[in-house]
């Protein structure tokens, strides 16, 4: 929201300098984003008088002008404008002037052999939009010509400063000059001089053809005013023109300029329809009952004021005349009913639509206008009729219009909002603040006290509220311009705190103050993140919102998405992770290892399921240099990549078991394992399917892992794992034996290890796979594996006689249960 300081001074009396005013606005919730001094556009630009013109001796299209700029001697300026004439006042940029709109510094120059000591300017060259061609001739646009040599700032309406404010969604009143003036009056105790508004209800009731109450209901309003006998060929009042120009609003024609002026002044969007064009469309005389509001139809098109054609659908609300679209409700009018200089009769629309409906329409057509941005924030319908009356009266006063009738939808009911406010609640929520004797605030004071009734009444009265005392506090009647955001007791308390200043309240900490403590789950999460980072992974954070590319039938759809690309909640994380790998590799990274603790969402019948995952992806190799390594080794094999995950998970102190997995369609069927913790499935690790690596343009050796985060945390923090039990270090040596066997491929090494452990009690301490062989020397359905077994008795040193029976028992079990051929 851009605010003109000179316009503000017409509405509120304040003497603060600009920086102080900006600070006050920022501290009360209206953040200042920028401050622009418009006079910089015309610095060193003066009023000049063209005394004499001669032809340029060396250029047919150039002229040499003798110009009086208030100096003892006239200056010579070479000008190529076709409309330059002797005997007229012009705008002259003297040597040293800087035209910011053209990034041009005026210098003493020589043009085709003739010295030129300045530049005669057009409005466009000064950054002011104008339909005039050529230089600005003051006699053609003004009756009161400033003195020769005087600064052109006042003539151009640039003696102003523009403050740009960030308006939050809960303060729609801030989207107007009057709203900001009220705010300044409140925070500086300044006097308001607002234009009068007539709130008398002299509108006739009518029934617009409204298809549904979602757009216009009892809480919203739709009004029409019929005005004829308008002279729309004249120039708009200079005061209005200057105010619109300073805020970068194009001046189009007087009727449109007045509607824009009122929107900026009061925050109420207005729209005028040309009555003659509407009757041409309909083919008969138009009445208020011909207007309606409905959804667009699939395949229906609409040409708007910007001359662009928009495809409509049933998510777009449109204004109709005899069911013919004439505007997209609250967004933009139609070219088929646009007001021009030939317009003599209009229907003036003033409405308040449902914010959600306008937001949906604006998003569907991909267009956000000044009007839609105000409607989306939710403006008050209690101001609409009064602003409409002020607009029609201005049209009548400035353009000679004759107001014939005013109409408002019969469903609209003006509601006065009153809120019960308790003194006890105020002090309980806000606590004590600094005060002084002569003023409610004293930032240097250390005296703390609670608010009293006089303080509250003083502050709320400044906001425009009417207070009626009761036994607990007050019944507060909310002013119509704040009826959309001051609806609860806590809203009023927040306003009191905002006006006093949050930093002026005493801090209120819990007593006694206890330090925070990380829970076991928090500690494990912190250790897990650090472990992954220490092992070469980078943590990423991806969006939970995805587009229609996610075709999972159990995806949770967003009811009111901002974009189609964010229209549903993700059902997996690996898809986005592979895109991250693709981007990094395409930018030249040799390897990319990432992980994320993320959520996925799915629909399970009537319920929505949210699950926490520990997920990640690995592609390529990461090393400091290629020295000592084969230059062709650009990837990790399956076991190296699985080892990286194992190292990262070791900090949890739990054992993960791998089991072959073949039924995930996006994973490589022979290089994917199911991961088990305490006998339960917690996810998978493996190489992606070749079709996926081709789709994302990644090397074949790209791996992803997907683990149930909550299951991991629960296992790691279980009492038996979380509380470490220390054992005495064994003082006796262990003995090792190897077993090599040939067996069918249908038996996994995990099954064999479990069988060895079961048969090797009580002295078996550890068993591990040390060798695996497949080749032509053994049957194609068989595999050769070797296992190393460690035996130990904590009480004594084992001898051969102790180990032989147990080792033979293991050999016998392997032969009988696996039909294995033992080689050692």
């Amino acid at each position: 929201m851009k605010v003109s300081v000179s316009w503000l001074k017409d509405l509120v009396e304040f003497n603060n300098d600009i920086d102080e005013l900006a600070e006050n606005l920022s501290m009360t919730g209206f953040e200042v984003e920028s401050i622009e001094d418009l006079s910089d556009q015309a610095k060193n630009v003066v009023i000049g008088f063209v005394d004499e013109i001669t032809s340029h001796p060396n250029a047919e299209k150039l002229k040499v002008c003798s110009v009086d700029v208030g100096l003892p001697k006239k200056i010579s300026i070479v000008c190529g404008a076709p409309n330059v004439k002797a005997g007229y006042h012009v705008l002259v940029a003297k040597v040293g002037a800087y035209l910011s709109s053209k990034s041009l510094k005026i210098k003493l120059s020589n043009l085709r052999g003739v010295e030129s000591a300045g530049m005669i300017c057009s409005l466009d060259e000064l950054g002011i939009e104008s339909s005039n061609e050529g230089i600005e001739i003051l006699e053609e646009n003004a009756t009161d010509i400033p003195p020769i040599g005087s600064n052109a700032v006042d003539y151009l309406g640039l003696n102003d400063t523009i403050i740009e404010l960030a308006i939050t969604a809960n303060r729609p009143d801030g989207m107007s000059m009057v709203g900001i003036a009220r705010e300044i009056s409140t925070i500086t105790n300044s006097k308001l001089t607002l234009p009068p508004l007539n709130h008398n209800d002299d509108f006739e009731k009518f029934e617009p053809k409204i298809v549904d109450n979602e757009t216009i209901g009892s809480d919203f309003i739709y009004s029409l005013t019929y005005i004829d006998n308008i002279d729309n060929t004249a120039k708009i009042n200079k005061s209005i023109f200057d105010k619109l120009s300073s805020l970068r609003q194009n001046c189009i024609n007087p009727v449109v300029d007045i509607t824009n002026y009122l929107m900026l002044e009061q925050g109420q969007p207005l729209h005028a329809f040309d009555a003659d064009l509407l009757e041409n469309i309909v083919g008969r005389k138009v009445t208020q009952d011909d207007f309606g509001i409905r959804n667009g139809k699939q395949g229906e098109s609409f040409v708007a004021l910007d001359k662009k054609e928009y495809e409509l659908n049933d998510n777009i609300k449109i204004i109709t005349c005899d069911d013919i679209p004439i505007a997209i409700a609250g967004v933009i009018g139609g070219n088929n009913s646009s007001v021009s200089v030939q317009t003599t009769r209009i229907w003036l629309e003033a409405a308040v639509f449902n914010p959600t409906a306008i937001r949906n329409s604006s998003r569907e057509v991909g267009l956000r206008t000044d009007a839609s941005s105000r409607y989306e924030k939710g403006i008050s319908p209690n101001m609409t009729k009064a602003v409409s009356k002020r607009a029609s009266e201005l049209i009548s006063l400035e353009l000679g219009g004759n107001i014939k009738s005013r109409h408002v939808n019969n469903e609209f009911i003006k509601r006065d909002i009153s809120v019960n406010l308790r003194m006890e609640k105020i002090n309980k929520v806000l606590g004590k603040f600094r005060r002084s004797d002569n003023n409610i605030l004293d930032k240097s004071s250390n005296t703390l006290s609670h608010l009293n009734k006089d303080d509250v009444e003083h502050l709320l009265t400044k906001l425009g509220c009417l207070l009626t005392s009761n036994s607990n506090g007050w019944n507060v009647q909310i002013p119509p311009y704040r009826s959309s955001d001051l609806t609860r007791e806590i809203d009023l308390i927040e306003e009191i705190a905002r006006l006093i200043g949050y930093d002026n309240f005493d801090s209120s900490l819990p007593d006694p103050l206890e330090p925070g403590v990380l829970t076991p789950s928090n500690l494990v999460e912190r250790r897990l993140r650090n472990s992954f980072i220490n092992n070469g992974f980078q943590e990423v954070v991806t969006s939970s919102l995805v587009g229609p590319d996610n075709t999972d039938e159990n995806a949770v759809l967003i009811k009111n998405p901002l974009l189609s690309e964010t229209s549903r909640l993700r059902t997996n994380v690996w898809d986005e992770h592979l895109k991250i790998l693709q981007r990094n590799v395409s930018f030249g990274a040799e390897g990319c290892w990432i992980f994320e603790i993320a959520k996925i969402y799915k629909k399970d019948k009537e319920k929505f399921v949210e699950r926490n995952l520990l997920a990640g992806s690995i592609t390529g190799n990461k090393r400091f240099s290629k020295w000592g390594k084969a230059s062709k080794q650009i990837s990790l094999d399956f076991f190296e990549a699985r080892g990286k995950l194992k190292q990262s998970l070791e900090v949890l102190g739990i054992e993960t078991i791998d089991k072959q997995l073949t039924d995930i369609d996006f994973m490589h069927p022979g290089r994917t394992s199911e991961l088990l913790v305490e006998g339960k499935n917690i996810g998978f690790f493996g190489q992606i399917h070749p079709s996926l690596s081709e789709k994302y343009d990644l090397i074949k050796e790209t791996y992803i892992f997907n683990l149930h985060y909550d299951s991991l945390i629960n296992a790691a923090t279980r009492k038996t794992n979380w509380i470490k039990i220390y054992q005495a270090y064994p003082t006796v040596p262990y003995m090792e034996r190897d077993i090599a066997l040939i067996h069918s491929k249908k038996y996994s090494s995990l099954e064999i290890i479990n069988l060895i452990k079961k048969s090797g009690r009580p002295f078996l301490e550890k068993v591990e796979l040390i060798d695996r062989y497949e080749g032509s020397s053994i049957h194609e359905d068989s595999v050769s594996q070797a296992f190393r077994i460690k035996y130990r008795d904590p009480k004594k040193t084992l001898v051969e006689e102790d180990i032989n029976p147990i080792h033979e028992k293991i050999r016998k079990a392997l032969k009988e249960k696996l039909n294995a051929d033992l080689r050692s």
Side-chain angles (χ1 to χ4, degrees):
M1 170 71 185
K2 286 183 167 62
V3 175
S4 160
V5 172
S6 64
W7 191 351
L8 277 177
K9 288 181 176 179
D10 293 340
L11 302 173
V12 59
E13 298 174 6
F14 67 94
N15 298 314
N16 308 67
D17 64 36
I18 302 302
D19 291 335
E20 183 183 357
L21 177 64
E23 175 68 14
N24 287 337
L25 287 169
S26 292
M27 293 304 294
T28 53
F30 290 97
E31 182 184 353
V32 174
E33 295 190 322
S34 65
I35 300 175
E36 179 187 6
D37 187 350
L38 295 184
S39 65
D40 289 342
Q41 292 177 234
K43 193 172 288 185
N44 223 8
V45 177
V46 300
I47 305 299
F49 181 77
V50 181
D51 187 62
E52 185 183 358
I53 296 178
T54 58
S55 297
H56 194 288
N58 302 316
E60 185 180 332
K61 294 185 178 181
L62 297 179
K63 299 171 184 176
V64 182
C65 305
S66 177
V67 184
D68 183 359
V69 292
L71 298 174
K73 290 185 178 181
K74 297 181 178 65
I75 62 174
S76 175
I77 298 176
V78 177
C79 179
N83 65 330
V84 64
K85 296 178 282 186
Y88 288 91
H89 290 80
V90 293
L91 301 173
V92 178
K94 297 197 296 183
V95 172
Y98 180 74
L99 307 184
S100 56
S101 64
K102 301 296 180 183
S103 299
L104 176 65
K105 186 168 184 177
I106 306 301
K107 301 176 183 177
L108 184 64
S109 56
N110 189 295
L111 297 176
R112 296 285 186 94
V114 176
E115 187 177 86
S116 181
M119 176 178 174
I120 301 175
C121 301
S122 66
L123 291 180
D124 180 63
E125 288 165 333
L126 294 172
I128 301 171
E129 292 195 22
S130 172
S131 57
N132 297 338
E133 294 185 4
I135 61 169
E136 174 75 352
I137 304 295
L138 272 62
E139 282 80 359
E140 294 178 358
N141 297 303
T143 55
D144 188 13
I145 308 295
I148 294 172
S150 62
N151 197 300
V153 164
D154 288 326
Y155 171 78
L156 295 169
L158 296 177
N159 192 13
D160 198 0
T161 299
I162 303 301
I163 302 174
E164 186 169 2
L165 302 173
I167 308 299
T168 54
N170 66 322
R171 290 300 302 274
D173 61 298
M175 296 291 286
S176 68
M177 293 297 303
V178 166
I180 300 301
R182 287 195 187 99
E183 185 70 16
I184 292 171
S185 172
T186 302
I187 62 181
T188 63
N189 289 312
S190 305
K191 181 182 176 183
L192 281 171
T193 52
L194 301 181
L197 290 178
N198 182 356
H199 287 275
N200 292 335
D201 193 357
D202 53 358
F203 282 65
E204 300 175 18
K205 298 285 186 178
F206 85 113
E207 292 189 18
K209 299 181 179 72
I210 299 174
V211 174
D212 62 81
N213 289 330
E214 181 187 342
T215 313
I216 294 286
S218 60
D219 292 331
F220 305 104
I221 184 172
Y222 189 79
S223 72
L224 293 166
T225 302
Y226 177 58
I227 309 172
D228 65 7
N229 199 36
I230 296 171
D231 178 12
N232 205 30
T233 60
K235 288 191 175 181
I236 192 65
N237 177 298
K238 189 172 188 312
S239 172
I240 295 176
F241 176 85
D242 287 344
K243 287 171 180 173
L244 291 175
S245 297
S246 68
L247 294 174
R248 305 287 197 274
Q249 285 284 331
N250 294 337
C251 290
I252 300 168
N253 60 64
V255 168
V256 174
D257 294 345
I258 287 172
T259 61
N260 287 336
Y261 174 73
L262 266 295
M263 178 183 69
L264 294 172
E265 181 190 83
Q266 301 289 339
Q268 170 65 60
L270 302 165
H271 186 75
F273 300 101
D274 187 307
D276 291 314
L277 291 181
L278 289 180
E279 291 178 3
N280 289 340
I281 295 170
V282 175
R284 57 175 172 79
K285 184 175 178 61
V286 170
T287 70
Q288 69 276 5
D289 294 323
D290 289 314
F291 288 82
I293 306 171
R294 64 169 172 82
N295 295 335
K297 298 173 183 176
Q298 205 69 37
E300 195 172 24
S301 62
F302 172 77
V303 179
L305 287 172
D306 57 5
K307 306 296 191 297
K308 293 180 181 178
E309 185 173 348
Y310 295 94
E311 296 298 323
L312 304 180
N313 59 51
D314 55 10
N315 290 322
I316 300 171
K317 307 294 181 183
I318 59 172
I319 307 296
T320 63
C321 183
D322 196 30
D323 205 42
I324 298 170
I326 56 173
I328 298 175
V331 180
I332 193 170
N335 191 53
N336 58 0
S337 59
S338 62
V339 172
S340 65
V341 292
Q342 287 81 35
T343 298
T344 58
R345 299 187 298 130
I346 65 167
W347 285 97
L348 180 65
E349 173 196 84
V352 173
F353 302 103
N354 184 311
T356 303
I358 302 306
R359 192 178 300 113
N360 288 341
S361 297
S362 178
R363 185 180 63 251
E364 289 289 335
V365 298
L367 180 66
R368 198 163 189 262
T369 59
D370 287 339
S372 69
S373 66
R374 285 165 171 80
Y375 282 127
E376 287 174 19
K377 282 182 166 58
I379 59 181
S380 168
N382 293 334
M383 299 289 292
T384 304
K385 289 189 288 185
V387 176
S388 176
K389 290 172 78 170
R390 172 157 161 73
S392 58
E393 288 162 4
L394 268 177
I395 292 171
S396 176
L397 177 67
E398 297 287 334
L399 309 176
N402 183 20
I403 303 168
K404 304 294 288 184
S405 61
R406 294 188 175 101
H407 311 272
V408 65
N409 61 311
N410 59 6
E411 286 190 2
F412 174 69
I413 303 169
K414 183 178 178 181
R415 292 184 175 90
D416 292 327
I417 298 176
S418 60
V419 177
N420 189 45
L421 180 62
R422 296 165 292 168
M423 191 74 223
E424 180 186 3
K425 181 72 171 178
I426 294 171
N427 285 326
K428 183 178 179 181
V429 172
L430 300 182
K432 295 180 179 181
F433 75 106
R434 297 175 185 85
R435 74 160 66 242
S436 67
D437 294 333
N438 58 352
N439 192 354
I440 196 170
L441 262 203
D442 180 10
K443 294 187 178 182
S444 63
S445 173
N446 290 319
T447 305
L448 297 172
S449 64
H450 283 104
L451 285 159
N452 58 43
K453 284 199 168 189
D454 290 340
D455 298 331
V456 175
E457 289 174 357
H458 171 69
L459 291 166
L460 293 183
T461 301
K462 286 202 300 181
L463 285 175
C465 299
L466 297 176
L467 285 79
T468 305
S469 295
N470 56 37
S471 58
N472 295 322
W474 304 268
N475 184 269
V476 183
Q477 187 171 337
I478 307 300
Y481 48 84
R482 295 297 300 275
S483 60
S484 60
D485 70 298
L486 297 183
T487 58
R488 305 169 298 166
E489 182 181 33
I490 197 66
D491 297 332
L492 290 171
I493 296 173
E494 182 185 6
E495 283 296 290
I496 293 168
R498 186 177 67 84
L499 294 175
I500 292 175
Y502 296 112
D503 56 338
N504 292 298
F505 283 91
D506 187 33
S507 58
S508 181
L509 297 173
D511 186 23
L513 183 63
E514 296 181 1
V517 177
L518 292 177
T519 65
S521 297
N522 300 143
L523 285 169
V524 168
E525 180 178 335
R526 179 176 292 184
R527 292 173 185 170
L528 191 58
R529 291 181 192 272
N530 290 336
S531 180
F532 270 94
I533 293 167
N534 294 339
N535 280 288
F537 287 83
Q538 288 178 286
E539 185 171 10
V540 297
V541 179
T542 56
S543 174
S544 297
L545 297 170
V546 296
D549 292 345
N550 185 326
T551 56
D552 193 321
E553 60 182 13
N554 295 318
V556 178
L557 304 182
I558 305 298
K559 188 175 182 181
N560 186 27
L562 289 173
L563 300 166
S564 62
E565 290 83 0
T566 56
S567 59
R568 58 192 65 202
L569 291 171
R570 65 185 174 197
T571 56
N572 69 69
V573 184
W574 58 263
D575 190 36
E576 186 59 36
H577 283 188
L578 292 179
K579 292 176 183 176
I580 293 173
L581 299 190
Q582 180 188 37
R583 285 195 294 272
N584 278 269
V585 171
S586 67
F587 289 146
E590 286 190 355
C592 184
W593 305 351
I594 59 175
F595 79 98
E596 180 178 11
I597 297 174
K599 293 180 183 293
I600 59 169
Y601 311 85
K602 288 195 176 184
K603 186 170 57 178
D604 181 15
K605 297 179 181 177
E606 299 301 317
K607 296 187 303 180
F608 296 112
V609 178
E610 179 181 305
R611 177 178 288 174
N612 294 313
L613 291 181
L614 169 61
S617 301
I618 300 172
T619 192
N621 207 342
K622 298 177 78 173
R623 45 200 165 134
F624 289 113
S625 69
K626 296 180 180 179
W627 183 83
K629 290 279 187 178
S631 59
K632 294 182 179 180
Q633 188 182 355
I634 61 170
S635 63
L636 301 181
D637 63 26
F638 177 90
F639 298 103
E640 288 174 319
R642 175 65 182 91
K644 287 295 176 185
L645 176 60
K646 181 180 179 182
Q647 285 177 320
S648 302
L649 295 177
E650 280 179 351
V651 71
L652 299 179
I654 56 178
E655 184 183 13
T656 55
I657 304 296
D658 291 59
K659 187 177 179 181
Q660 189 173 5
L661 190 61
T662 58
D663 59 354
I664 302 179
D665 56 2
F666 56 86
M667 299 298 291
H668 193 297
R671 298 176 187 173
T672 304
S673 62
E674 175 187 17
L675 301 186
L676 305 174
V677 169
E678 299 175 341
K680 296 179 181 177
N681 176 290
I682 60 144
F684 64 86
F685 169 88
Q687 183 176 316
I688 61 173
H689 196 278
S691 61
L692 267 187
S693 59
E694 185 178 340
K695 174 184 175 182
Y696 290 100
D697 196 21
L698 294 168
I699 59 175
K700 292 186 298 180
E701 294 83 3
T702 297
Y703 309 92
I704 62 177
F705 57 89
N706 205 79
L707 310 179
H708 302 163
Y709 177 74
D710 293 334
S711 299
L712 280 174
I713 297 298
N714 290 338
T717 56
R718 187 168 288 113
K719 190 174 181 179
T720 53
N721 291 326
W722 184 249
I723 300 175
K724 302 299 181 185
I725 299 175
Y726 294 92
Q727 296 178 337
Y729 193 80
T731 58
V732 294
Y734 60 81
M735 295 186 69
E736 285 185 345
R737 292 284 184 89
D738 292 345
I739 291 182
L741 64 155
I742 298 173
H743 63 86
S744 171
K745 286 183 178 179
K746 68 179 180 179
Y747 299 113
S748 67
S749 59
L750 177 62
E751 291 175 298
I752 297 172
I753 288 172
N754 287 335
L755 180 58
I756 292 172
K757 285 181 178 180
K758 185 178 178 181
S759 305
R761 296 169 185 163
F763 297 142
L764 190 145
E765 184 179 83
K766 185 179 180 181
V767 57
E768 58 184 343
L769 178 68
I770 60 170
D771 184 54
R772 177 183 171 89
Y773 171 77
E774 292 181 59
S776 57
S777 60
I778 60 175
H779 196 275
E780 63 179 2
D781 292 329
S782 299
V783 61
S784 173
Q785 290 185 320
F787 296 89
R788 179 156 292 159
I789 304 170
K790 288 184 179 180
Y791 297 100
R792 188 189 327 246
D793 184 344
K795 297 178 182 179
K796 67 171 185 174
T797 300
L798 293 174
V799 294
E800 292 292 330
E801 290 77 10
D802 297 322
I803 296 174
N804 288 339
I806 297 175
H807 197 67
E808 193 57 39
K809 181 181 176 184
I810 293 172
R811 290 167 57 82
K812 184 178 179 182
L814 293 172
K815 185 176 287 190
E816 291 179 353
K817 296 190 176 180
L818 304 182
N819 195 27
D821 179 14
L822 298 175
R823 297 187 297 143
S824 66

